[in-house]
Amino acid sequence: MNENSQQFRLLLTLKLRQLHNGGLEGISYDDLYRMFTTHIWKNQKPTRLSDLADQVLNIKDEDIIRWLAVESKIQGYKSTLDDFKVLLDTEEL
């Protein structure tokens, strides 16, 4: 199954709406796409549409939040103070 397929994009959009309706508005389509393509399917992508749908629609909210937390921590370790300079310069104290 191609990760750029119309079915995959539709399933991610449906999952995203489900998450937003559950109060998790901070999660984006790109977050879900990255999680599935770089983490969930790192070693093996589903080959059947039914497997793809099952994995996308039945992943637990807690698993998504946990992955996002780990991902943000990793990105924080890779960042330097200069990466945050723009935020600090524009923020009123």
Side-chain angles (χ1 to χ4, degrees):
M1 179 66 46
N2 183 352
E3 64 227 16
N4 292 316
S5 72
Q6 184 177 3
Q7 293 93 347
F8 178 55
R9 292 193 314 264
L10 176 62
L11 287 166
L12 284 184
T13 301
L14 290 171
K15 184 62 179 181
L16 187 62
R17 284 187 179 184
Q18 183 183 48
L19 292 167
H20 287 179
N21 287 338
L24 298 172
E25 294 90 8
I27 297 173
S28 71
Y29 176 92
D30 291 335
D31 292 333
L32 289 179
Y33 181 88
R34 272 186 302 112
M35 183 186 68
F36 279 99
T37 58
T38 65
H39 176 66
I40 303 292
W41 300 330
K42 183 177 181 177
N43 298 321
Q44 183 178 354
K45 295 178 193 171
T47 55
R48 297 184 336 205
L49 180 57
S50 60
D51 294 335
L52 176 91
D54 184 57
Q55 288 180 6
V56 171
L57 297 176
N58 291 318
I59 191 165
K60 295 179 183 173
D61 296 358
E62 302 86 40
D63 293 335
I64 296 169
I65 299 300
R66 190 177 304 112
W67 179 81
L68 287 169
V70 170
E71 188 71 9
S72 68
K73 192 179 270 190
I74 291 169
Q75 292 303 319
Y77 285 129
K78 291 179 180 178
S79 301
T80 65
L81 287 177
D82 289 335
D83 296 331
F84 298 100
K85 187 171 179 10
V86 174
L87 294 173
L88 295 172
D89 289 343
T90 58
E91 181 139 343
E92 294 181 25
L93 298 176

